[in-house]
Amino acid sequence: NNGSGIADDSATGNWTISGNSITGVNSIGITLTGDTGDNLVARITNNTITNSQAGAIGMTAGSNSTVRAQITGNTMTWTAVPGATLELISANTANFCTDIVNNTNDDAYCFARVGSPAVLEVEQLSQLISINNNSGVVDNNSGGGLFPATEVADGTCGF
């Protein structure tokens, strides 16, 4: 497959992506971007994403968008280029809040804010590995123009 499995680069409204099997795509298995002024609520649940070239799940909040994402029960394995099997980015003046639980990830949960005004909140960030089947590692980017995500309490994002 050339490109992503499921993708929208200006997603808005309520999205449920559930029960898919995505294998061997040349980019990211599932990728959603909230762009200028978008208001996106995404529930990404119970998907199996394997052997994607650039990651299993990627989401970006940019340019004054508001994004809330619940990512739960997914199996994310065998990403060809390691380092960001699940990657979440918030940029500019965006507000991004996410609940990530009960996933299996054989690589990394990668978080980055591009610019200090951007908000990226992760529920239970300090417990992320233990609440995700003791799988993966956390890469909470900092430095080089990137800023880390902030931990918030369970339930903060509204799921």
Side-chain angles (χ1 to χ4, degrees), residues 1-6 22-32 49-60 76-89 105-110:
N1 179 347
N2 291 323
S4 297
I6 298 171
I22 301 168
T23 302
V25 296
N26 285 340
S27 187
I28 301 171
I30 298 170
T31 182
L32 296 175
I49 308 156
T50 59
N51 201 28
S52 296
Q53 185 67 32
I57 298 172
M59 293 186 69
T60 302
M76 303 169 282
T77 56
W78 301 344
T79 294
V81 179
T85 293
L86 186 145
E87 184 173 39
L88 306 180
I89 299 169
N105 180 347
D106 68 355
D107 187 37
Y109 299 93
C110 184

Side-chain angles (χ1 to χ4, degrees), residues 17-20 30 43-49 56-57 70-77 86 100-105 109 132-133 135:
I17 301 171
S18 183
N20 298 286
I30 298 170
R43 289 174 176 82
I44 301 173
T45 61
N46 301 319
N47 298 286
T48 300
I49 308 156
I57 298 172
Q70 180 184 47
I71 302 169
T72 183
N74 299 287
T75 300
M76 303 169 282
T77 56
L86 186 145
I100 304 167
V101 66
N102 199 31
N103 297 286
T104 299
N105 180 347
Y109 299 93
N132 282 281
N133 303 316
S135 66

Side-chain angles (χ1 to χ4, degrees), residues 10-13 15 32-44 58-71 88-91 93-99 119-121 157 159:
S10 188
T12 191
W15 284 65
L32 296 175
T33 298
D35 208 354
T36 306
D38 289 342
N39 187 355
L40 170 63
V41 176
R43 289 174 176 82
I44 301 173
M59 293 186 69
T60 302
S63 303
N64 198 36
S65 65
T66 299
V67 175
R68 290 188 308 122
Q70 180 184 47
I71 302 169
L88 306 180
I89 299 169
S90 184
T93 55
N95 188 311
F96 193 157
C97 190
T98 186
D99 178 23
V119 174
L120 177 53
E121 299 173 322
C157 299
F159 297 103

